[in-house]
Amino acid sequence: SSGINAEYGGLCILDNDGKRVISKYYDTKDDTFATVKDQKLFESKMFKATEKSASEIVAINNYTAVFRSNVDLFFYVFGDSRENELMLLSVLNSLYESISMILRKNVEKRAIFEHMDSILLICDEVVDGGILLECDPNSVVNRVHVKNEDIPLSEQSVSQVSYDLLKSFNWLSQS
């Protein structure tokens, strides 16, 4: 499907202490997110504004952020303050549902780290360069599975190969 013409400032997943797990910033029209320090400052403001919020939408600086929390994680999608909140929520829900499907509904920090390659692919499948590509979690997950299977052994990370090997010998405990 072709991208929907909307600009997203970025997306991020923070832990329940407000620390970065994953972040992707797309907004380049000014220097708001030019440095990691600027990004982390924004994330900190976003976390403080949402940590105890009953609403799923907050305004921070010139941005509108939508969020969802689960177990020990906060999921955020944010865009220009003029951006349609329903579109932001659509991206957030697609991101969250896709991750939930990949993690078999076990959406927590440890599982995110164990499947980081797939989670990063999901982020790129949903939004690319600030443009919404896909809102259907089934399509996103199918494309991520295809991309993961397409990686030749020589290009897989050592940890992925080790993980697959251990898994095939049932040396990884099922927790």
Side-chain angles (χ1 to χ4, degrees):
S1 67
S2 62
I4 293 172
N5 195 8
E7 287 285 324
Y8 297 92
L11 55 87
C12 59
I13 302 173
L14 305 179
D15 68 14
N16 55 358
D17 295 319
K19 301 280 183 268
R20 177 187 286 191
V21 176
I22 291 175
S23 65
K24 296 228 173 219
Y25 287 85
Y26 309 111
D27 194 346
T28 54
K29 63 181 173 286
D30 58 28
D31 288 335
T32 306
F33 307 121
T35 67
V36 171
K37 184 180 175 188
D38 295 333
Q39 293 171 6
K40 288 191 173 182
L41 183 65
F42 181 77
E43 290 165 16
S44 173
K45 284 181 184 176
M46 205 163 38
F47 182 73
K48 283 186 179 86
T50 58
E51 189 179 16
K52 293 175 176 63
S53 174
S55 169
E56 57 186 6
I57 301 170
V58 293
I60 298 138
N61 302 349
N62 294 323
Y63 292 90
T64 299
V66 294
F67 76 100
R68 180 172 180 170
S69 60
N70 188 57
V71 188
D72 56 358
L73 296 168
F74 284 78
F75 293 78
Y76 298 92
V77 172
F78 50 93
D80 187 278
S81 57
R82 296 179 304 263
E83 195 55 65
N84 181 330
E85 288 101 351
L86 292 176
M87 288 302 297
L88 292 171
L89 280 169
S90 175
V91 173
L92 176 66
N93 289 331
S94 177
L95 177 71
Y96 182 86
E97 293 304 326
S98 300
I99 289 172
S100 180
M101 288 167 74
I102 288 278
L103 300 180
R104 292 177 180 82
K105 306 211 179 301
N106 180 31
V107 182
E108 56 185 36
K109 186 176 172 182
R110 185 171 154 247
I112 293 267
F113 280 116
E114 287 172 359
H115 297 87
M116 187 62 80
D117 53 344
S118 295
I119 306 303
L120 290 170
L121 279 172
I122 287 170
C123 294
D124 292 341
E125 286 295 330
V126 175
V127 179
D128 184 32
I131 305 296
L132 174 61
L133 294 181
E134 183 60 71
C135 265
D136 175 36
N138 290 311
S139 298
V140 172
V141 169
N142 286 338
R143 293 221 294 270
V144 167
H145 278 307
V146 166
K147 285 187 176 179
N148 275 341
E149 289 166 11
D150 283 349
I151 303 171
L153 191 61
S154 62
E155 292 177 24
Q156 289 183 22
S157 68
V158 172
S159 61
Q160 185 59 47
V161 173
S162 304
Y163 179 81
D164 291 343
L165 194 61
L166 291 172
K167 203 166 155 187
S168 68
F169 287 112
N170 280 331
W171 287 347
L172 289 176
S173 64
Q174 302 299 323
S175 52

